[in-house]
Amino acid sequence: QVQLVESGGGLVPPGGSLTLSCSTSEPTFSAYAMGWFRQAPGKEREFVAAVRWNRVGSKTADSVKGRFTISKDQTKKTIYLQMNSLKPEDTAVYYCAAATRGPWNSPLPAFEYNFWGQGTQVTVSS
């Protein structure tokens, strides 16, 4: 069982920035992909961004493209989500997820993300 722990959420004014982190302490951790999803009140969970863990490649949802950047540090077994120019509509609980099942060449949003973190709240408000 892989445990993922998110951090970095909080309250930020519109136009502000936040960086989310997601780490695992699993010593033999490996995955095909890791990503960020979010769920706003009354809405379905949506894909935000993902990165291939052992290969090059990432994808960001159109709704956040140009504002959010996903990155990884494999030595720290951590992924990050740098969020800039935040808008009130970015308010949501952000979840980190890992996909440990293939096929390896699946499109990043289409992986079966089978491990999830507990979520971290991001609130964009003045």
Side-chain angles (χ1 to χ4, degrees):
Q1 190 75 7
V2 175
Q3 289 190 325
L4 302 173
V5 179
E6 301 106 332
S7 61
L11 173 64
V12 62
S17 298
L18 278 176
T19 301
L20 305 182
S21 301
C22 171
S23 300
T24 179
S25 58
E26 172 63 40
T28 60
F29 176 76
S30 185
Y32 288 105
M34 292 190 71
W36 292 97
F37 295 75
R38 67 186 183 185
Q39 187 166 20
K43 295 188 177 182
E44 292 191 353
R45 186 172 61 199
E46 64 172 348
F47 171 83
V48 176
V51 61
R52 297 190 186 275
W53 189 245
N54 291 315
R55 295 178 178 265
V56 174
S58 65
K59 183 170 179 63
T60 306
D62 288 344
S63 59
V64 302
K65 195 168 292 183
R67 300 188 297 122
F68 291 11
T69 303
I70 188 169
S71 61
K72 65 183 179 183
D73 186 333
Q74 290 178 286
T75 60
K76 296 182 178 179
K77 291 181 283 186
T78 299
I79 63 169
Y80 304 93
L81 186 67
Q82 174 66 46
M83 305 185 294
N84 298 324
S85 302
L86 283 160
K87 305 175 181 180
E89 51 264 42
D90 295 318
T91 295
V93 178
Y94 284 70
Y95 297 93
C96 169
T100 62
R101 301 172 187 158
W104 66 268
N105 58 345
S106 298
L108 282 163
F111 272 103
E112 178 190 353
Y113 289 88
N114 52 324
F115 292 104
W116 294 83
Q118 80 286 355
T120 186
Q121 177 70 46
V122 172
T123 302
V124 184
S125 175
S126 54

